[in-house]
Amino acid sequence: AKHEGANRYLFFNDSMNKLAVKRLQVENLIRHGLKEDYFTVFYQPKMDIVTGQLVGMEALVRFITPKKGLISPASFIPVAEETGQILEIGEVVLQKTCEDVKRWIDMGLFHGRVAVNLSAKQFMLPFLCEQIDDILQRSELPSYHLELEITEGTVMQSPTLAIDTMKKLRARGIHLAMDDFGTGYSSLAYLKQFPLNTLKIDKAFIDDMNTARGRNMVDTIVTIAHNLNLTVVAEGVEHAEQLQQLKQLRCEIIQGYFYSKPLSAHDFGLFLKQQKQQ
Ligand code: C2E
Ligand code: CA
Ligand code: CA
Ligand code: CA
């Protein structure tokens, strides 16, 4: 009826249209940001749970514009994924990360691995390995300093193809981590077939460790990971109590505000110097 049509029109106007406009604004902002080099990389330490020593870090993209300040990844990554701009952002992140890490290695401040997040679109690129080879070569960073974090959603889109790409990356000495484990859909049958090194437990599970049920859940995930010979990283660790519980559960590595928030390259350099003196 006419009445219904009007309602539909209003609905479109009020919410869908606003969403589309917002999306377009973010898309334009990203395009401008890429042109002006407003994308930068922060680093969050990953610590050995037993020794408390730094073993690596996760590279996290930051979008900082002079006008709007820091724009959270939660607001621009989904848009960038949709528009495909994530491909260019991902390339910038990888290039900058490799340059930063090469510098810290040359200064004698670091010898571990840096983990970089790969979006599904990036992981599916037919020339992903060649692109990574190029970036490593340009920055003169040996491949064994690199780890890539991918999610269940990414690999489950096409598990057979994913295994193929993962094997190619592993052949180069690059490590692979399953990110946000337990939040997506993946089958144990596949998990066994993926050539992974690391399993990252999502922060949501760590948050739930204040209940017996939640601790059981993390215990189960750690057991699965160890049965598959994977190193376990717990993300989003904020409290000493969580650290103690994770230690008891034999989780190997922790990442979270308990040790440090993600730091700018400058501040992470200072963190590395501090670590060295310990
Ligand atoms: P993620 O890969 O799960 O990264 C961990 C997120 O948790 C980061 O948020 C980090 O800052 C935050 N975090 C770490 N420890 C704590 C803690 O103790 N407490 C709390 N409250 N938060 C903590 P961030 O940097 O905002 O990134 C959000 C998401 O955006 C990432 O989740 C990842 O999915 C995506 N992302 C970030 N950088 C990149 C990138 O370079 N490429 C791609 N494709 N995605 C990225
Ligand atoms: Ca990650
Ligand atoms: Ca994660
Ligand atoms: Ca997460």
Side-chain angles (χ1 to χ4, degrees):
K2 242 183 185 169
H3 179 72
E4 222 176 67
N7 270 341
R8 220 176 284 141
Y9 177 74
L10 272 177
F11 172 71
F12 180 79
N13 231 359
D14 280 357
S15 73
M16 284 167 84
N17 203 20
K18 262 185 203 151
L19 211 73
V21 168
K22 177 92 185 94
R23 236 207 57 174
L24 199 66
Q25 280 172 345
V26 175
E27 183 180 346
N28 287 333
L29 199 62
I30 294 171
R31 191 179 308 113
H32 181 68
L34 281 166
K35 207 173 112 234
E36 300 294 329
D37 197 24
Y38 290 156
F39 289 88
T40 174
V41 185
F42 274 40
Y43 300 92
Q44 188 175 34
K46 291 186 184 177
M47 317 297 280
D48 182 308
I49 200 165
V50 175
T51 65
Q53 295 291 301
L54 179 117
V55 290
M57 62 279 203
E58 178 174 7
L60 294 155
V61 69
R62 291 293 178 264
F63 183 15
I64 308 167
T65 80
K67 256 180 155 171
K68 295 187 185 275
L70 180 82
I71 301 156
S72 144
S75 66
F76 75 83
I77 296 251
V79 175
E81 290 260 12
E82 245 184 88
T83 60
Q85 290 168 310
I86 193 71
L87 293 177
E88 203 177 329
I89 296 173
E91 209 180 337
V92 169
V93 169
L94 205 55
Q95 178 71 43
K96 291 194 175 185
T97 299
C98 290
E99 284 166 12
D100 285 339
V101 173
K102 168 71 177 164
R103 204 172 56 246
W104 292 322
I105 289 170
D106 287 352
M107 289 167 80
L109 291 173
F110 184 70
H111 49 261
R113 273 183 202 268
V114 65
V116 178
N117 292 285
L118 277 198
S119 82
K121 278 219 172 92
Q122 248 182 312
F123 184 76
M124 294 296 182
L125 276 181
F127 50 89
L128 172 71
C129 291
E130 288 73 14
Q131 186 185 81
I132 292 175
D133 287 343
D134 278 354
I135 292 176
L136 288 171
Q137 214 162 49
R138 247 183 287 151
S139 51
E140 296 177 67
L141 182 73
S143 53
Y144 55 81
H145 288 297
L146 188 62
E147 178 164 45
L148 299 172
E149 297 191 1
I150 46 185
T151 64
E152 295 166 284
T154 297
V155 288
M156 290 310 290
Q157 281 183 18
S158 172
T160 333
L161 208 81
I163 291 170
D164 210 57
T165 304
M166 291 169 94
K167 282 184 179 160
K168 281 189 199 148
L169 293 165
R170 284 295 305 273
R172 287 159 162 79
I174 295 169
H175 272 198
L176 298 171
M178 179 66 81
D179 200 3
D180 298 342
F181 183 74
T183 62
Y185 159 78
S186 79
S187 85
L188 284 178
Y190 275 120
L191 196 61
K192 197 175 63 184
Q193 290 181 53
F194 295 139
L196 295 164
N197 304 90
T198 312
L199 197 147
K200 293 190 81 176
I201 306 179
D202 191 69
K203 178 178 182 295
F205 294 102
I206 307 305
D207 288 342
D208 280 349
M209 286 186 81
N210 52 4
T211 69
R213 215 185 126 93
R215 282 192 297 279
N216 263 324
M217 193 67 156
V218 173
D219 192 5
T220 304
I221 297 176
V222 173
T223 303
I224 291 172
H226 286 167
N227 276 320
L228 295 166
N229 271 322
L230 305 177
T231 302
V232 184
V233 179
E235 71 174 26
V237 177
E238 294 180 348
H239 312 292
E241 204 187 352
Q242 293 170 330
L243 190 150
Q244 282 315 318
Q245 290 166 344
L246 287 162
K247 207 187 263 182
Q248 276 170 12
L249 297 179
R250 302 272 177 268
C251 165
E252 285 97 346
I253 298 167
I254 58 165
Q255 178 185 346
Y257 293 177
F258 178 77
Y259 274 112
S260 171
K261 292 196 171 189
L263 303 169
S264 67
H266 174 265
D267 288 348
F268 191 78
L270 297 178
F271 184 89
L272 287 175
K273 282 180 190 154
Q274 233 175 33
Q275 278 277 313
K276 218 188 158 190
Q277 277 150 19
Q278 275 173 14

